[in-house]
Amino acid sequence: IRAAYRKGMGDWLEHQGIDILAIQEVRAETDDVVRLLGDGWHVVHDAATAKGRAGVALASRDDGGPREPEIHRVALGDDDFDSAGRWLEADFKIGDRIVTVVSTYVHSGEVDTPKQVEKYKFLDAMAERLPKLAEHNPLSLIVGDLNVGHRTLDIKNWKGNVKRAG
């Protein structure tokens, strides 16, 4: 987020009329996110276990000031599974409805390595969570860096990435 702000994210964001902002690969402390976004934003941030890595955040505001989520959750999968900095869901009251927003950052993976094993574990945990999320709230939105491409159109350099994960 610090690099994005150096490149003009603050000015861009100021003119977008965004009520809820989902950020992935935050790579900063919560204090940094709050300072960069400034007044008028309520920030919920889940930092990665490894400092300076991953991290997801949801920042929210409305015309009356920051819109604080009703509740937020960060755990995904079994207790022994480290999803820190990769999954953040929050329930926001919008009008007379609750909308659940998820900011997620899926591992990039690398074929035949422990990174790919971790990615599959994360995707399995997501697959288990999604039906529960739909039961919790049919008005749920999942956004993020999913690192999954199903078609050549989904991949910038598809020819060079045919046998690669990420």
Side-chain angles (χ1 to χ4, degrees):
I1 192 168
R2 291 183 300 264
Y5 262 78
R6 283 193 298 273
K7 294 178 180 178
M9 178 180 169
D11 292 334
W12 174 85
L13 190 58
E14 195 174 310
H15 299 92
Q16 299 307 307
I18 294 171
D19 293 320
I20 300 172
L21 174 68
I23 311 169
Q24 301 79 40
E25 288 193 79
V26 174
R27 298 181 182 212
E29 299 296 321
T30 302
D31 291 344
D32 295 325
V33 179
V34 169
R35 178 181 50 78
L36 289 167
L37 288 174
D39 294 335
W41 289 93
H42 180 84
V43 175
V44 182
H45 175 228
D46 187 38
T49 303
K51 189 174 178 160
R53 303 296 306 244
V56 289
L58 289 166
S60 54
R61 67 178 174 187
D62 61 21
D63 290 338
R67 172 186 284 132
E68 193 167 343
E70 302 288 307
I71 190 169
H72 72 276
R73 297 163 295 281
V74 295
L76 179 70
D78 297 329
D79 291 342
D80 65 343
F81 180 62
D82 182 11
S83 63
R86 296 195 175 271
W87 183 268
L88 172 61
E89 58 185 72
D91 295 340
F92 295 93
K93 186 163 179 68
I94 299 176
D96 61 348
R97 304 183 96 169
I98 297 292
V99 176
T100 300
V101 181
V102 177
S103 179
T104 187
Y105 174 49
V106 178
H107 306 67
S108 60
E110 191 175 315
V111 176
D112 297 326
T113 70
K115 286 182 175 183
Q116 191 67 24
V117 172
E118 286 302 306
K119 179 175 185 167
Y120 285 140
K121 282 174 64 176
F122 191 88
L123 291 172
D124 288 344
M126 277 183 67
E128 187 175 320
R129 176 66 184 141
L130 293 179
K132 294 174 186 172
L133 189 60
E135 285 177 25
H136 165 75
N137 186 358
L139 293 176
S140 295
L141 173 68
I142 299 169
V143 296
D145 185 348
L146 301 178
N147 278 307
V148 176
H150 294 284
R151 303 168 299 162
T152 56
L153 180 63
D154 298 327
I155 304 169
K156 181 178 180 181
N157 177 16
W158 70 268
K159 285 182 182 179
N161 286 290
V162 168
K163 297 184 184 217
R164 297 175 51 117

